[in-house]
């Protein structure tokens, strides 16, 4: 008779035998479907993957996670397995795989796993970023009216906030953090655009607004850490994190109640997102979920994309000269939406900034049943692979957008002219994701970036970097930011 002690001693062996049996079955089924084996990271700890966990945690703490993943893709292949805290993750860098996951078989790849659990804690259970199926379609339907062309093309909403941003820039050539100003500007414009009134953080930031920004950054960072380091972290208690989440949600709740109290007042905008979502019958928690989701889409990603453009422009004065020439070819100080869209070089600059610095640089999904992806198997990584039900698959746009076999030997360089060279890309370039879940706020973000760059280079003739020449350090929250900010100085146009 087996004693409890004997069973305890045998449990590692039983676990290993079970694992080997499942692996053998998986390989047999994969072979029957014409699928090939996938490369595996050479773990020193093949049980929990603590070696990779420590390396990943160290990279996150030193803001080097995305380059680390990029190096792994180059070394172990564009599709390979890694083990983190006992959970296998399939890393892929293949456009065809991403196309299947987000596009052709999107219904089979719901948001699930560590990403879902981590995001729910901050954004709530009914957010457009944490729901699937009918709930997701309902959330998307609520948000879509905010981003129709009539709303996005209203540049007057952006104008005053871009004006406040320009006024906040030192005119004496002193150093300032461009990222900090842009985060404030996009928070102001997002709340104005979506809630009908602005936080005015560039003018008179309240203590509550400052606390909200601090808490929002912290909770986003912690949620991202939970998502990338494994499911077990979601089970560990974190009082500081929960308190910050509560403060974030209460801050938005106060705006909702203020909006309800003032809903009969005249608003600067005819369409106010919050009013419409409350009219639909959504309760406070549901409204908070959607507001936080839209703030990420309208504020965080837009500020990150704009910061990237300014970062690279500060290091490429010839590009600035070419861009300013196009900008001054427009006679009007207040361009129309159509004029901005027709500025070819301006939009090439933005595309190139988004290529090298996609704000939502990583993403993941898990299939609801056993399924096949078209790439990643065999010695050349080009054969189909079998992905078991529930297997987390993660990809990195940071790496995908820098593949030399797609973008050329200068893939890591900022060169807007590449977009004028008959470059044909589909799923190789997806800064706003793709498929049915493609970002609803894409045109909102692009219009604001176009307008801000247009007005900045009408007012300033040059921008120069003022930080060190070390590697670019990226903080990976739910979106990506520059860990040390974006320190620059600007020279006003004397004309």
């Amino acid at each position: 008779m087996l004693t409890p002690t004997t069973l305890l001693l045998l449990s590692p062996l039983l676990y290993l035998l079970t694992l080997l049996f499942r692996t053998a079955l998986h390989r047999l089924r994969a072979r029957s479907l014409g699928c090939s084996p996938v490369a595996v990271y050479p773990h020193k700890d093949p049980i929990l993957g603590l070696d990779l966990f420590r390396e990943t945690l160290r990279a996150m703490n030193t803001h080097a996670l995305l380059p680390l993943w990029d190096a792994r893709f180059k070394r172990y292949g564009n599709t390979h397995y890694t083990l983190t805290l006992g959970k296998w993750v399939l890393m892929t860098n293949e456009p065809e795989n991403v196309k299947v996951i987000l596009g052709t078989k999107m219904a089979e790849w719901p948001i699930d796993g560590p990403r879902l659990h981590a995001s729910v804690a901050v954004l709530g259970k009914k957010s457009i970023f944490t729901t699937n199926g009918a709930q997701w379609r309902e959330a998307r339907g609520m948000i879509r009216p905010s981003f129709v062309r009539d709303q996005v093309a209203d540049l007057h909403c952006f104008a005053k906030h871009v004006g406040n941003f320009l006024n906040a820039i030192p005119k004496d050539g002193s150093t300032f953090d461009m990222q900090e100003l842009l985060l404030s500007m996009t928070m102001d414009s997002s709340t104005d655009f979506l809630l009908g009134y602005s936080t005015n953080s560039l003018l008179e930031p309240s203590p509550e607004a400052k606390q909200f920004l601090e808490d929002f950054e912290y909770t986003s960072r912690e949620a991202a850490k939970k998502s990338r380091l494994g499911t077990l972290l979601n089970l560990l208690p974190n009082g500081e994190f929960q308190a910050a989440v509560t403060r974030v949600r209460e801050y938005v709740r106060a705006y909702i109640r203020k909006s309800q109290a003032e809903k009969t007042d005249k608003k600067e905008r005819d369409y106010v997102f919050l009013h419409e979502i409350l009219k639909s019958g959504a309760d406070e928690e549901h409204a908070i979920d959607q507001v936080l989701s839209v703030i990420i889409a309208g504020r965080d990603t837009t500020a990150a994309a704009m910061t990237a453009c300014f970062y690279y422009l500060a290091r490429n004065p010839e590009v600035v000269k070419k861009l300013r020439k196009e900008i001054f070819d427009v006679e009007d100080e207040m361009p129309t939406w159509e004029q901005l869209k027709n500025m070819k070089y301006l939009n090439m600059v933005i595309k190139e900034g988004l290529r090298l610095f996609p704000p939502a640089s990583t993403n993941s999904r898990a299939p609801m049943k056993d399924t096949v992806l078209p790439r990643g198997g065999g010695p050349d990584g080009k054969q189909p692979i079998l992905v078991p039900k529930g297997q987390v698959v993660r990809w990195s746009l940071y790496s995908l957008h820098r593949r030399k076999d797609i973008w050329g030997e200068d893939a890591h360089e900022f060169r807007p002219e590449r977009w004028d060279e008959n470059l044909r890309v589909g799923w190789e370039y997806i800064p706003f994701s793709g498929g049915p879940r493609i970002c609803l706020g894409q045109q909102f973000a692009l219009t604001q970036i176009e307008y801000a760059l247009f007005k900045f280079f009408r007012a300033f003739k040059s921008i120069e970097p003022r930080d060190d020449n070390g590697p670019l350090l990226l903080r990976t929250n739910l979106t990506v930011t520059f860990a040390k900010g974006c320190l620059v100085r600007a020279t006003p146009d004397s004309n």
Side-chain angles (χ1 to χ4, degrees):
M1 181 176 178
L2 294 176
T3 65
T5 302
T6 304
L7 287 173
L8 183 63
L9 292 173
L10 288 174
S11 58
L13 178 60
L14 293 173
Y15 172 80
L16 183 59
L17 290 174
T18 301
L19 185 62
L20 290 173
F21 180 70
R22 287 178 177 174
T23 301
L25 284 180
H26 178 77
R27 287 180 177 174
L28 285 172
R29 181 147 190 263
R31 193 176 303 160
S32 70
L33 294 171
C35 297
S36 299
V38 183
V40 179
Y41 179 87
H43 285 278
K44 296 178 182 178
D45 173 11
I47 305 300
L48 293 176
L50 291 178
D51 54 333
L52 190 83
F53 174 80
R54 285 191 291 266
E55 183 182 37
T56 301
L57 184 60
R58 186 162 53 248
M60 290 182 68
N61 290 336
T62 56
H63 312 301
L65 180 64
L66 296 178
L68 174 67
W69 282 354
D70 195 39
R72 286 181 191 161
F73 279 122
K74 288 182 174 67
R75 184 169 183 179
Y76 303 110
N78 288 320
T79 303
H80 61 269
Y81 274 106
T82 64
L83 182 63
T84 301
L85 295 180
K87 293 288 185 180
W88 286 101
V89 175
L90 180 63
M91 303 290 293
T92 189
N93 207 20
E94 289 288 356
E96 289 300 312
N97 288 347
V98 179
K99 177 182 177 180
V100 168
I101 294 169
L102 295 180
T104 56
K105 293 188 177 180
M106 187 268 281
E108 295 181 9
W109 292 84
I111 293 178
D112 201 358
R115 178 181 180 238
L116 173 62
H117 301 312
S119 298
V120 162
V122 179
L123 302 179
K125 296 179 179 179
K126 295 184 178 180
S127 160
I128 190 173
F129 297 132
T130 61
T131 50
N132 297 295
Q135 273 195 323
W136 165 73
R137 286 190 290 273
E138 179 186 2
R140 194 172 176 89
M142 286 182 178
I143 292 174
R144 184 181 288 109
S146 293
F147 297 108
V148 297
R149 175 173 167 173
D150 287 348
Q151 307 300 334
V152 173
D154 181 7
L155 298 180
H156 294 285
C157 179
F158 300 141
K160 65 179 179 181
H161 302 296
V162 172
N164 292 338
F165 156 69
L166 295 175
N167 290 335
I169 295 174
K171 308 302 186 293
D172 60 357
S174 56
T175 300
F176 67 98
D177 185 353
M178 178 66 80
Q179 178 173 254
E180 183 178 348
L181 290 184
L182 290 172
L183 283 167
S184 295
M185 184 192 77
T186 51
M187 177 61 81
D188 290 349
S189 63
S190 292
T191 51
D192 193 1
F193 183 85
L194 299 165
L195 306 182
Y197 49 83
S198 174
T199 49
N200 288 323
S201 57
L202 277 174
L203 299 177
E204 299 176 6
S206 67
E208 293 81 8
K210 289 181 178 179
Q211 184 66 54
F212 170 75
L213 290 172
E214 181 181 326
D215 288 334
F216 195 81
E217 293 292 339
Y218 169 74
T219 54
S220 297
R221 185 167 62 252
E222 288 300 302
K225 185 184 297 184
K226 291 171 183 287
S227 172
R228 291 175 186 127
L229 293 182
T231 306
L232 289 178
L233 287 186
N234 288 298
L235 304 177
L236 299 177
N238 188 333
E240 183 181 359
F241 176 74
Q242 292 302 327
V245 168
T246 299
R247 288 194 298 269
V248 163
R249 297 183 70 84
E250 288 304 310
Y251 179 85
V252 176
R253 193 187 313 278
Y255 273 101
I256 289 174
R257 292 179 178 176
K258 181 179 180 181
S259 178
Q260 289 174 320
E262 299 176 350
K263 63 184 178 182
T264 58
D265 292 349
K266 179 177 175 56
K267 296 291 182 181
E268 291 185 20
R269 297 183 54 82
D270 293 332
Y271 181 92
V272 177
F273 167 74
L274 185 56
H275 288 177
E276 298 303 315
I277 202 172
L278 292 174
K279 283 180 188 177
S280 73
D283 58 31
E284 276 191 359
E285 294 304 318
H286 193 175
I288 291 171
D289 292 353
Q290 303 312 330
V291 167
L292 289 175
S293 300
V294 175
I295 286 177
I296 285 182
R299 181 255 184 176
D300 290 35
T301 57
T302 306
M306 246 187 283
T307 302
C309 289
F310 280 113
Y311 174 87
Y312 290 111
L313 287 169
R315 288 157 173 77
N316 291 273
E318 291 304 313
V319 174
V320 169
K321 289 180 183 178
K322 192 171 180 179
L323 177 59
R324 291 191 81 227
K325 182 181 183 305
E326 183 181 65
I327 288 172
F328 277 94
D329 283 343
V330 178
E331 294 181 0
D332 300 326
E333 283 291 332
M334 183 67 182
T336 65
W337 185 82
E338 289 78 10
Q339 284 175 317
L340 291 175
K341 295 302 171 185
N342 288 329
M343 296 181 68
K344 183 178 179 180
Y345 197 67
L346 170 63
N347 284 283
M348 286 162 53
V349 165
I350 295 169
K351 280 184 178 180
E352 187 71 346
L354 285 168
R355 181 183 72 83
L356 289 170
F357 190 83
S361 289
T362 73
N363 211 331
S364 66
R365 293 286 192 275
M368 61 194 306
K369 62 180 182 180
D370 290 359
T371 190
V372 174
L373 289 177
R375 297 285 186 273
D380 61 359
K382 297 184 182 300
Q383 307 307 310
I385 60 175
L386 177 63
V387 182
K389 174 184 177 180
Q391 173 62 58
V392 174
V393 179
R394 180 178 293 281
W395 60 95
S396 167
L397 297 187
Y398 176 92
S399 296
L400 175 56
H401 287 182
R402 292 164 183 253
R403 278 181 53 168
K404 291 184 178 180
D405 58 326
I406 296 172
W407 302 96
E409 288 300 314
D410 63 350
H412 285 69
E413 296 177 17
F414 179 79
R415 190 172 65 83
E417 286 73 16
R418 78 175 71 246
W419 294 96
D420 198 26
E421 299 172 352
N422 295 319
L423 182 64
R424 295 183 179 181
V425 289
W427 288 88
E428 294 84 359
Y429 177 75
I430 47 172
F432 294 98
S433 192
R437 282 185 178 266
I438 193 169
C439 177
L440 280 171
Q442 176 176 347
Q443 289 304 319
F444 173 84
L446 289 173
T447 301
Q448 191 166 189
I449 298 167
E450 291 159 358
Y451 184 76
L453 287 174
F454 179 93
K455 296 299 288 186
F456 178 89
F457 285 109
R458 297 278 290 207
F460 295 90
K461 64 181 181 182
S462 66
I463 180 172
E464 302 171 43
R466 299 295 289 171
D467 45 16
D468 57 46
N469 293 320
L472 178 58
L473 302 180
L474 303 176
R475 179 180 288 116
T476 49
N477 300 342
L478 295 178
T479 56
V480 180
T481 56
F482 288 29
K484 292 185 176 181
C486 180
L487 303 181
V488 296
R489 73 175 179 185
T491 303
D493 193 323
S494 57
N495 296 330

